[in-house]
Amino acid sequence: MITRKKPLDFDFPETISVQKPGWTITTRTYNVITPLWGGGVEANVNDPVTLIRGSSIRGHLRFWWRALRGNCNGSTITAMREKENSIWGSTKVPSQVKITVNVTKKGTKFQATNFHGEQIANVGAMNSRDAYVTFPLRLTRASLTENIQFSVVLEYPDSVKDEVEAALWAWQTFGGIGARTRRGMGAIECIQVDGNSQTRQSAENFQRSINENLNKWIKDDDFPAGVPHMSHGLNYKLTSRQNDKTTGIEALRNIIDQYKRFRQSRPGRERSHWPEPDLIRACFPGETFRHEIEHQVHGKAPRAVFGLPIIIHFKDYPNGLQDPDETTIQGVDGIDRLASPLIIRPIHLSSGFAGMAVLLEWDTVNTEDEPYTPPGGLAVVGEENAVLCNPSTQLTPADASYIEPLNRLGRETNPLLGFLRYIN
């Protein structure tokens, strides 16, 4: 086994860029407004030297380029990939975009707290204030960093200027750096462009700028099937709570708490308002469980549209009858992961921090596939990967009437759109 040594803690000199004819050089400075979840020599511990890497930023820019410009070279995956690789590079083609990162503020260690504001050791612990976002760290040691500032120098030929600027705008508006950016970790705020300070916008102007940039950068051609993307009619929502004393993490907690209440919907000690637990119980006919099947919606797993897998662990009881063992809802044929189409993050407005939720969309790979599900549909998987049933996500208004969060929204049949309507 090779033992990796921890890097020395020193600063590298800034790279000096020289303007070349036909090329653009731009420098952007960013604040990281929520804790950065990164890694390095030690997993889940931010590297003291390469706190933020150019290769990581390039990966984020590639994603957001696809989300905005993935339809600019035809409507096939092959054509999109060729265009993408010609700009951002591949194993065979060098990138046309040079990225240099300089961390100007290394930040401080993020101190995890519980719901009483008391310091705790593990940010992923069940009693952590941020456990709903950081649950993958429940059994793993981690060290997150906050109050980071960094600058990025990008050099690229003028021939790809529109492609790069589109990706930059989407990344700094909707994205972040590090892990769990779709749930608001490592969210960024652009504070300076080429030496010019950026003025924070009002909520109204911020939303107006989103619509203007979507119209500017997105072409009317179809996106390739299966590619998450944005559209001119992007579905998104800001929280109404904006306070100049609020921080980025507080704004994130506010909207994440709303997401948790909507997605779990289990007031007090009542059973879940969603049908998935009883869906699993129904997979074991003849078995007697602690709780009988009561939900009126059968054979459906509507929360799968929020991303996969869904791992359902039933409560253990000290004696007497139990409920089913831990069970997973995923895609068929071993497709065990599907990134959530819902992006949640804080934004910094002139009036303070607010939360924002954004819904990506994609065309299904197969005509018979349901929206926001993997190719071939869903599978409830038990022990030894046995497929117990193949549920649907599609709800009727009658179904929605039995799911309290959706019933309150006028029997909304789309949980994703329902959450956007639920936000306040």
Side-chain angles (χ1 to χ4, degrees):
M1 178 183 292
I2 300 175
T3 302
R4 298 179 65 190
K5 296 182 179 179
K6 293 188 176 182
L8 299 176
D9 187 7
F10 61 88
D11 294 322
F12 291 103
E14 293 188 37
T15 301
I16 299 175
S17 298
V18 179
Q19 183 76 47
K20 295 181 288 187
W23 280 64
T24 294
I25 299 178
T26 183
T27 302
R28 310 283 177 105
T29 303
Y30 298 94
N31 282 335
V32 184
I33 60 177
T34 52
L36 171 67
W37 178 349
V41 173
E42 196 171 345
N44 296 311
V45 176
N46 291 319
D47 194 290
V49 176
T50 54
L51 185 62
I52 297 173
R53 296 178 296 142
S55 58
S56 177
I57 292 175
R58 190 187 309 278
H60 286 287
L61 291 175
R62 291 182 81 119
F63 172 84
W64 287 110
W65 178 87
R66 289 194 296 269
L68 272 187
R69 308 284 290 177
N71 64 340
C72 68
N73 194 37
S75 58
T76 67
I77 286 285
T78 300
M80 185 197 73
R81 286 296 188 190
E82 289 176 353
K83 180 74 171 181
E84 177 183 335
N85 292 338
S86 72
I87 300 168
W88 305 103
S90 68
T91 56
K92 298 179 180 179
V93 181
S95 173
Q96 296 189 67
V97 185
K98 179 181 178 181
I99 300 175
T100 305
V101 180
N102 180 40
V103 177
T104 51
K105 290 183 181 178
K106 292 186 176 181
T108 55
K109 181 179 178 180
F110 174 69
Q111 177 59 60
T113 58
N114 61 21
F115 286 89
H116 301 291
E118 300 163 338
Q119 295 185 2
I120 59 175
N122 186 2
V123 69
M126 292 188 68
N127 66 334
S128 168
R129 182 67 182 82
D130 304 297
Y132 205 69
V133 171
T134 60
F135 73 89
L137 297 175
R138 188 159 296 170
L139 302 176
T140 305
R141 177 181 177 272
S143 179
L144 310 187
T145 307
E146 60 182 349
N147 301 317
I148 298 168
Q149 186 179 100
F150 66 98
S151 62
V152 181
V153 180
L154 297 104
E155 303 175 55
Y156 48 86
D158 292 343
S159 59
V160 297
K161 185 174 182 178
D162 283 354
E163 314 302 332
V164 176
E165 288 188 353
L168 274 171
W169 170 76
W171 175 54
Q172 65 194 33
T173 304
F174 305 108
I177 192 72
R180 293 290 281 174
T181 58
R182 293 198 187 203
R183 289 297 175 264
M185 302 303 284
I188 58 174
E189 172 196 12
C190 183
I191 60 172
Q192 197 174 77
V193 176
D194 298 328
N196 299 313
S197 297
Q198 301 298 288
T199 303
R200 295 186 181 109
Q201 299 174 300
S202 66
E204 294 77 14
N205 288 340
F206 177 76
Q207 293 176 88
R208 187 179 299 114
S209 72
I210 287 179
N211 297 331
E212 290 173 350
N213 278 284
L214 292 173
N215 289 329
K216 177 180 180 180
W217 297 123
I218 298 178
K219 294 189 175 183
D220 292 328
D221 297 333
D222 292 333
F223 281 80
V227 174
H229 64 270
M230 313 180 97
S231 66
H232 296 297
L234 179 70
N235 287 301
Y236 68 96
K237 181 82 172 286
L238 306 186
T239 59
S240 58
R241 178 177 165 184
Q242 300 157 24
N243 189 309
D244 59 3
K245 295 181 181 179
T246 303
T247 63
I249 187 64
E250 289 170 339
L252 178 62
R253 286 167 176 167
N254 174 39
I255 192 169
I256 286 293
D257 283 348
Q258 295 187 54
Y259 177 61
K260 179 180 179 180
R261 289 195 300 271
F262 180 85
R263 195 176 183 278
Q264 290 194 336
S265 189
R266 191 194 305 269
R269 295 182 177 274
E270 294 182 25
R271 294 173 63 178
S272 175
H273 288 151
W274 296 89
E276 289 84 1
D278 276 352
L279 165 73
I280 293 172
R281 293 184 180 97
C283 291
F284 299 92
E287 294 281 347
T288 301
F289 296 115
R290 187 177 186 89
H291 294 102
E292 296 181 356
I293 296 174
E294 295 179 351
H295 210 287
Q296 298 300 309
V297 178
H298 304 291
K300 296 185 178 180
R303 285 183 293 178
V305 298
F306 288 108
L308 297 173
I310 300 176
I311 301 174
I312 296 182
H313 180 83
F314 292 88
K315 183 177 180 180
D316 295 322
Y317 297 92
N319 50 58
L321 292 174
Q322 301 292 319
D323 274 321
D325 294 331
E326 186 174 274
T327 310
T328 301
I329 301 175
Q330 60 181 52
V332 299
D333 298 329
I335 300 176
D336 59 354
R337 296 193 65 82
L338 184 67
S340 175
L342 186 66
I343 294 173
I344 300 174
R345 59 155 291 171
I347 55 172
H348 203 174
L349 302 171
S350 58
S351 55
F353 286 92
M356 177 173 66
V358 181
L359 181 59
L360 300 179
E361 57 191 77
W362 67 78
D363 295 323
T364 58
V365 174
N366 305 311
T367 56
E368 65 273 15
D369 290 339
E370 297 176 352
Y372 296 107
T373 60
L378 302 176
V380 175
V381 178
E383 294 182 349
E384 299 181 356
N385 294 319
V387 176
L388 306 177
C389 67
N390 299 102
S392 167
T393 61
Q394 299 294 283
L395 298 173
T396 66
D399 291 333
S401 70
Y402 294 109
I403 301 173
E404 186 59 26
L406 301 179
N407 184 48
R408 290 182 182 180
L409 297 168
R411 300 185 179 185
E412 171 63 64
T413 59
N414 185 326
L416 291 163
L417 294 179
F419 173 62
L420 295 185
R421 294 176 56 195
Y422 178 83
I423 293 171
N424 59 57

